């Protein structure tokens, strides 16, 4: 093109970034990589090729990690962990700081290597991925420095197995490694098989930074290596990737006691109201869906636009799409680079080729090879597969809505809950919509904002756990101290009496009413001397379902103000106190013990404790580097099913119930298995309290059966087990179905009278974090 033509078209010229240094680094390493274990690179083993998706050229050979490689890496991490933790927060902070400095020093090398291996535009790797990775290490150097102050009573998990995807190779590595190291863990990380190079360069940086051997280990390989790492002797597994693999990992770790966080897929809504600044919203959309070619878990891939402006908005959008430049990732004027791998390209093609609706492909040149044009598919029905499935490519789907209510319904009509964007110049509209979205992150008049100080993570099948902020640190720590094995308590026996048909006294408490168990059976309950104490109904699957339905319907409780919830809990405490002597005697009769009075007294203080917390656990603003607010807000988890402990029937029930209620959850509680009659006492208390019908439902019956139904139920958001029965593995495996949250005891005891059963210990599990970003500026 001549100068005259350039002036006429005002087209950009190319501005290629040199790949020389990055390619030289690969060559210097021999272009064949082993793993990084115990502070040095191993000899390459059986290898596979990693290619530049933009050109198809082979960049290097990467070792396929075997089970024994994983074991060696885990052993190195294990050996290094004690000394690393003992180094103390400030000692670890220096190492993290040194890594951050070196990442900064070599940032261009990292950026080019990332773009070569992944195909993302250099503009993105240079201005987003690598700076954010540095910021993560700087921020977490600070977290290590302050750990003794801010994380009192918490210690490292130990060795963490971490598996990351290919879309943000170095950034995801940083999200995983920085907080883990800060809190005193050591790690074995497996990068994605298509993009291992920056993880290997990072290993080199760890060496240069003088990080003690074995603190960071990198084992390369595919999903088989990943699965081996998940099954290895690690204490915590952290995964980012597809929901399908996340589910497999939940199943594989079920019952193992390994802590688990999962950052999975999404189909995030991008909601544009008629009063939005349309040009900004179009520009935001470019960032939402064409950033990294749409290969972003929180991509704003589902456009919901108000009907009255839909045509105008689509017109502007198509015009903007036509201007996007697709091509060489190393060209600084490129907007959309290569798709990460031909396999991913075929997945995208297959999904779009079967599309209903109106398919618009950007009218812009697209190079041959692993590239895909920016695409918009409009007029899709909400239930259409493309509206529901993650495409993970530069493909936007769109539909329209008329009212804010409809926008919220459409936005939430998905199995995912990762992120959402809301565009409106009316702050009332935006802030009204944000809390109604089932989504871990909400961006108002913006998109794809991330920071190390702000938690990121999903609801529903987008996974659980948060990365970033104090919540991210919590996920890399556990309470100090070790728990003893839990002994199961058997119910007292009496004269052999078969389970009886229910007489008039034994009832369940569902939806605010005493109801007969569906099966019509009850068990006779005896005291320590074998005398009949009463009868407890035996709930079955149907009763669980009714209880869940009642809990779902009691939405009002979640909407009640924290002040109101506190008042209701105080009142329950007062009522309990009025009956304390009688209840203490009854407890002694049930358990054959003498701690009834202490149990009642502690239960009353737990209610007061939870009431006190109700309006003090709402979340807080986070100091992110922008003009605006990032608010990490606490929301109730939803419907929680809990199997209560055997040993302290009243205290167990109140300790679990009170904080969960304080946070606005609705509950299905299964009373102590050996001492179920507590449910009848509790029913009377609840009936004279102000807790709305359905907010607490009480069941009695065999924990094992009821746990299965709760863990399988799609409308239960979280299942907790403190039961003496061995339920942990079963619950975690079943919870994988819809990736509901679970919190189980792995057969370990808890001191129900001590602080570890105090309200604070339950608040995190009873809430989900939603990070709402509100940038501002005139
Ligand atoms: P993937 O979930 O299979 O891969 C992510 C990581 O998990 C890789 O390091 C892989 O080696 C590892 N892995 C695979 N199987 C494993 C197993 N059984 N146990 C442990 N680790 C395992 O994602 P993939 O196949 O690369 O992409 C498939 C689809 O997943 C994409 O089209 C996209 O829709 C979605 N995806 C979502 C991501 C997100 O951040 N939400 C990231 C990557 C992919």
């Amino acid at each position: 093109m001549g100068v005259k033509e350039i002036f006429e078209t005002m087209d950009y010229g190319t501005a290629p970034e040199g790949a020389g240094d990055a390619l030289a680094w690969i060559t210097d390493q021999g272009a064949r990589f082993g793993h990084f274990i115990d502070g040095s690179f191993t000899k390459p083993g059986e290898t596979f090729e990693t290619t530049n998706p933009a050109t198809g050229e082979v960049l290097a050979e990467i070792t396929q990690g075997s089970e024994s490689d994983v074991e060696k890496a885990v052993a190195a991490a294990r050996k290094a962990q004690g000394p690393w933790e003992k180094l103390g927060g400030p000692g670890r902070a220096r190492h993290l700081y040194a890594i951050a400095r070196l990442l900064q020093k070599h940032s261009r090398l990292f950026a080019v290597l990332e773009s070569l291996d992944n195909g993302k535009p250099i503009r993105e790797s240079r201005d987003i991925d690598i700076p954010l990775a540095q910021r993560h290490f700087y921020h977490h150097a600070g977290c290590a420095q302050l750990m003794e102050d801010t994380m009192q009573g918490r210690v490292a998990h130990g060795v963490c197995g971490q598996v990351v995807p290919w879309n943000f190779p170095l950034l995801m590595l940083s999200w995983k490694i920085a907080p883990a190291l800060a809190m005193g863990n050591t790690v074995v990380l497996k990068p994605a098989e298509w993009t291992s190079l920056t993880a290997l360069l990072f290993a080199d940086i760890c060496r240069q930074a003088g990080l003690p051997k074995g603190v960071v280990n990198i084992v390369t390989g595919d999903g088989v290596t990943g699965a081996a790492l998940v099954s290895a002797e690690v204490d915590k597994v952290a995964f980012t990737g597809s929901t399908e693999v996340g589910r497999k990992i939940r199943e594989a770790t079920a019952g193992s006691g390994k802590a688990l966080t999962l950052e999975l897929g999404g189909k995030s809504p991008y909601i544009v109201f008629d009063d939005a600044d349309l040009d900004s919203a179009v520009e935001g959309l470019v960032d939402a869906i064409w950033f990294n070619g749409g290969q972003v878990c929180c991509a704003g891939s589902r456009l919901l636009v108000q009907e009255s402006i839909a045509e105008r908005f689509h017109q502007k959008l198509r015009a903007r799409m036509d201007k996007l430049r697709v091509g060489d990732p190393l060209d600084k004027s490129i907007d959309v680079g290569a798709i990460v791998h031909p396999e991913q390209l075929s997945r995208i093609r297959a999904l779009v080729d079967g599309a209903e609706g109106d398919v618009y492909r950007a009218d812009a040149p697209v190079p041959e090879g692993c590239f895909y044009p920016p695409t918009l598919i409009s007029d899709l029905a909400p239930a259409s597969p493309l509206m529901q499935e993650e495409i993970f490519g530069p493909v936007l789907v769109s539909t329209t809505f008329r009212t804010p209510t409809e926008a919220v319904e459409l936005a939430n009509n998905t199995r995912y809950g990762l992120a959402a964007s809301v565009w409106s110049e009316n702050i009332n509209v935006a802030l009204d919509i944000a809390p109604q979205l089932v989504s871990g992150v909400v961006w108002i008049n913006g998109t794809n904002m991330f920071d190390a100080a702000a938690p990121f993570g999903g609801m529903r099948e987008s996974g659980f756990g948060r990365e970033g902020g104090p919540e991210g640190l919590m996920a890399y720590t556990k309470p100090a101290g070790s728990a003893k094995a839990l002994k199961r308590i058997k119910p007292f026996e009496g004269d052999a009496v078969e389970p009886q048909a229910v007489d008039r006294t034994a009832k369940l408490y569902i939806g605010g009413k005493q109801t007969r168990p569906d099966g019509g059976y009850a068990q006779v309950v005896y005291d320590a001397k074998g005398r009949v104490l009463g009868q407890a109904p035996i709930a079955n699957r149907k009763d669980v379902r009714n209880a869940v339905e009642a809990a779902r319907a009691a939405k009002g409780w979640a909407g009640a103000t924290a002040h109101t919830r506190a008042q209701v809990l105080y009142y329950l405490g007062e009522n309990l106190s009025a009956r304390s002597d009688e209840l203490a005697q009854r407890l002694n009769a049930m358990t054959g013990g003498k701690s009834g009075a202490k149990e009642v007294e502690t239960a009353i203080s737990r209610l007061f404790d939870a009431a006190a917390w109700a309006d003090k656990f709402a979340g807080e603003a986070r100091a992110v580097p922008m003009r605006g607010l990032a608010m990490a807000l606490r929301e109730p988890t939803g419907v929680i099913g809990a199997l209560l402990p055997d040993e302290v029937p009243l205290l167990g029930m109140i300790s679990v119930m009170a904080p969960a209620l304080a946070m606005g959850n609705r509950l299905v509680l299964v009373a102590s298995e050996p001492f179920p009659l507590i449910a009848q006492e509790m029913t009377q208390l609840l009936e004279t309290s102000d807790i709305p019908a359905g907010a607490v439902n009480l069941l009695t019956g065999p924990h094992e059966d009821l746990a299965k139904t709760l863990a399988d139920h799609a409308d239960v958001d979280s299942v907790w087990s403190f039961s003496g029965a061995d339920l942990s593995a079963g619950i975690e495996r079943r919870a994988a179905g819809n990736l509901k949250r679970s919190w189980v005891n792995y057969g370990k005891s808890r001191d129900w009278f001590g602080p570890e059963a105090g309200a604070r210990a339950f608040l995190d599990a009873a809430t989900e974090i939603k990070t709402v970003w509100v940038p501002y500026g005139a």
Side-chain angles (χ1 to χ4, degrees):
M1 195 185 286
V3 174
K4 184 164 176 283
E5 275 169 292
I6 291 174
F7 270 113
E8 271 164 9
T9 60
M10 289 304 280
D11 204 0
Y12 291 97
T14 56
E17 173 75 39
D21 286 350
L23 293 172
W25 177 80
I26 295 173
T27 315
D28 284 352
Q29 311 294 314
R32 284 189 86 220
F33 289 87
H35 311 298
F36 182 70
I37 297 178
D38 206 17
S40 46
F41 283 97
T42 63
K43 276 208 193 113
E46 185 194 321
T47 58
F48 57 88
E49 290 172 345
T50 192
T51 52
N52 175 346
T55 60
E57 279 160 8
V58 175
L59 291 168
E61 283 183 46
I62 307 289
T63 296
Q64 168 65 19
S66 65
E67 220 168 283
S68 123
D69 295 334
V70 168
E71 272 167 26
K72 279 183 203 139
V74 172
R78 179 71 62 201
K79 200 166 91 212
Q81 200 268 325
W84 176 245
E85 189 167 15
K86 285 198 195 79
L87 198 56
R92 295 195 299 274
R94 285 174 180 241
H95 285 286
L96 288 170
Y97 183 74
I99 293 175
R101 297 285 295 197
L102 282 168
L103 282 176
Q104 205 166 8
K105 187 170 157 199
H106 298 291
S107 55
R108 195 50 70 95
L109 175 61
F110 271 106
V112 175
L113 194 63
E114 198 75 299
S115 285
L116 279 174
D117 203 15
N118 165 281
K120 62 174 67 203
I122 183 74
R123 227 158 26 88
E124 294 179 6
S125 50
R126 184 194 62 192
D127 298 346
I128 296 167
D129 292 52
I130 311 304
L132 273 174
Q134 292 157 14
R135 160 97 182 119
H136 233 73
F137 277 94
Y138 279 124
H139 176 83
H140 285 95
C143 296
Q145 183 78 27
L146 301 179
M147 183 179 179
E148 272 93 63
D149 281 342
T150 57
M151 303 294 285
Q152 277 176 15
R154 298 192 70 85
V155 294
H157 279 298
V159 176
C160 303
Q162 307 179 313
V163 179
V164 295
W166 40 260
N167 50 352
F168 294 92
L170 184 77
L171 184 56
M172 289 302 105
L173 170 150
S174 307
W175 281 26
K176 297 275 178 290
I177 291 186
L181 262 46
M183 295 295 102
N185 302 276
T186 53
V187 305
V188 179
L189 178 132
K190 192 201 81 66
E193 54 272 40
W194 294 339
T195 55
S196 310
L197 290 176
T198 48
L200 294 164
L201 175 57
F202 179 81
D204 209 10
I205 290 291
C206 291
R207 232 174 20 175
Q208 288 177 38
L211 192 70
K213 288 177 183 178
V215 170
V216 167
N217 303 274
I218 308 284
V219 176
T220 50
D222 61 11
V224 176
T225 316
L229 179 54
V230 166
S231 309
E233 295 283 314
V234 295
D235 306 296
K236 184 207 157 94
V237 173
F239 172 76
T240 299
S242 62
T243 293
E244 191 194 343
V245 173
R247 196 170 277 127
K248 280 190 202 161
I249 292 178
R250 169 69 294 180
E251 284 169 0
T253 54
S256 66
K258 290 173 191 169
L260 177 64
T261 43
L262 298 173
E263 297 286 351
L264 310 174
K267 189 78 184 177
S268 299
Y270 188 98
I271 311 168
V272 184
F273 284 96
D274 59 4
D275 58 2
D277 170 348
L278 296 194
D279 292 317
S280 297
V282 166
E283 216 45 49
L285 197 45
V286 168
D287 191 18
I289 185 65
W290 292 300
F291 169 56
N292 201 16
Q295 303 164 110
V296 182
C297 52
C298 53
S301 53
R302 216 161 31 107
L303 169 64
L304 310 176
V305 53
Q306 198 150 15
E307 200 176 81
S308 49
I309 52 153
E311 210 178 306
R312 199 148 55 95
F313 190 78
H314 279 105
Q315 253 170 25
K316 281 176 182 279
L317 179 60
R318 288 194 194 101
R320 183 67 183 90
M321 284 167 70
D322 293 345
K323 296 266 182 254
L324 289 171
R325 295 165 60 91
V326 184
D328 178 9
L330 287 186
D331 180 346
K332 287 172 212 137
S333 58
I334 280 300
D335 298 304
V336 180
I339 299 298
V340 65
H341 194 271
E343 217 174 279
Q344 185 63 13
L345 182 66
S346 358
R347 262 181 226 156
I348 299 168
R349 281 205 179 120
L351 280 163
V352 177
D353 287 351
E356 304 149 0
D358 178 14
V359 180
Y360 180 78
R361 290 192 174 82
D363 185 13
V366 175
E368 287 290 302
C370 208
F371 293 89
Y372 198 84
T375 302
L376 165 69
I377 308 178
S378 40
D379 295 332
L380 284 171
S384 145
L386 283 186
M387 271 291 186
Q388 297 292 332
E389 271 175 49
E390 193 175 33
I391 300 175
F392 232 64
V395 183
L396 176 69
V397 297
S398 94
T399 192
T400 59
F401 65 88
R402 286 188 179 162
T403 62
T405 312
E406 199 192 345
V408 171
E409 271 168 22
L410 284 170
N412 290 342
N413 180 21
T414 165
R415 64 194 172 109
Y416 297 114
L418 193 51
S421 288
V422 180
W423 289 78
S424 166
E425 287 298 288
N426 183 341
I427 193 78
N428 293 317
V429 171
L431 292 181
D432 179 45
I433 298 298
Q436 299 180 57
L437 298 171
V438 184
S439 178
V441 182
V442 180
W443 294 297
I444 291 178
N445 292 330
T447 190
N448 278 340
M449 287 175 264
F450 312 101
D451 185 60
F456 178 90
M459 296 184 182
R460 293 183 175 163
E461 293 188 35
S462 293
F464 42 76
R466 293 291 179 272
E467 295 188 298
E471 295 74 18
L473 298 178
M474 285 293 278
Y476 280 101
T477 56
K478 61 178 183 187
S482 56
K484 287 197 222 97
L486 184 61
K487 280 205 201 102
R488 190 154 194 198
I489 298 176
K490 286 217 181 104
F492 296 122
E493 290 180 9
D495 293 337
V497 182
E498 285 300 304
Q500 300 189 348
V502 179
D503 75 12
R504 310 184 81 197
T505 58
K507 300 274 168 55
L508 305 168
Y509 184 62
I510 297 177
K513 292 199 188 80
Q514 296 197 35
T515 38
R516 283 167 177 279
D518 172 69
Y521 284 98
Q523 70 184 105
V524 178
V525 180
Y526 302 96
D527 70 8
K529 297 204 170 105
R531 290 174 302 214
V532 172
L533 264 184
Q535 291 193 36
I538 300 176
N540 67 11
R541 255 193 261 180
K542 180 95 189 314
D543 297 310
V544 173
R545 285 193 213 125
N546 291 341
V548 172
E549 209 172 296
R552 272 273 150 227
K555 280 196 221 76
W557 181 250
T561 65
H563 175 77
T564 302
R565 293 198 297 261
Q567 296 303 305
V568 170
L569 288 168
Y570 281 129
Y571 184 49
L572 195 61
E574 276 177 39
N575 285 350
L576 186 57
S577 163
R579 288 189 53 201
S580 52
D581 292 345
E582 174 209 341
L583 263 172
Q585 280 172 21
R586 189 91 175 126
L587 280 166
N588 288 342
M590 279 178 211
T591 61
K594 293 200 183 88
S595 57
K598 189 178 164 205
E599 214 185 309
V600 176
E601 197 187 307
T602 317
I604 295 167
S605 90
R606 289 278 147 82
L607 281 163
F608 276 64
D609 230 28
W613 272 111
D615 60 358
K616 296 168 194 69
F617 201 68
E620 58 190 20
R622 294 288 155 75
V624 294
M626 69 163 191
R627 286 190 66 211
L629 282 173
M631 296 174 292
L633 304 174
R634 297 261 173 196
E635 293 188 347
T637 302
V639 172
I640 300 174
L643 291 305
L644 299 175
D646 290 358
E647 58 271 36
V648 275
L650 176 73
L651 181 57
M653 185 175 281
I654 300 277
S655 301
V656 172
M657 180 186 85
L661 279 179
M663 293 296 108
N665 296 284
R666 292 97 78 196
L667 306 167
V668 177
L669 300 176
V670 184
S672 159
E673 193 164 351
F675 310 123
L677 290 179
I678 192 62
Q680 281 158 26
E681 306 300 329
M682 203 58 208
T683 297
Q684 288 173 13
L685 272 168
L686 290 170
E687 279 182 328
T688 52
S689 78
D690 293 332
I691 291 176
V696 179
N697 304 276
L698 299 177
L699 304 179
T700 51
H703 281 194
E704 199 163 343
D705 296 351
L706 301 177
K708 281 183 192 158
T709 314
L710 280 169
D712 279 339
H713 202 301
D715 270 343
V716 173
D717 299 292
S718 187
V719 180
W720 298 353
S721 173
F722 308 100
S723 173
D726 181 13
L727 307 176
S728 303
I731 288 177
E732 290 190 331
R733 209 166 15 247
R734 285 167 188 272
N738 67 347
L739 284 163
K740 61 170 67 70
R741 286 83 185 101
S742 57
W743 183 24
V744 296
N745 59 6
Y746 305 112
K748 294 279 168 50
S749 71
R750 178 177 290 265
D751 173 11
W752 290 95
F753 289 97
E756 65 181 271
R760 182 63 191 85
F762 290 81
L763 297 179
D764 292 300
T767 49
E768 289 271 358
I769 286 275
K770 176 184 280 177
T771 310
V772 180
W773 294 72
V774 194
Y776 49 64

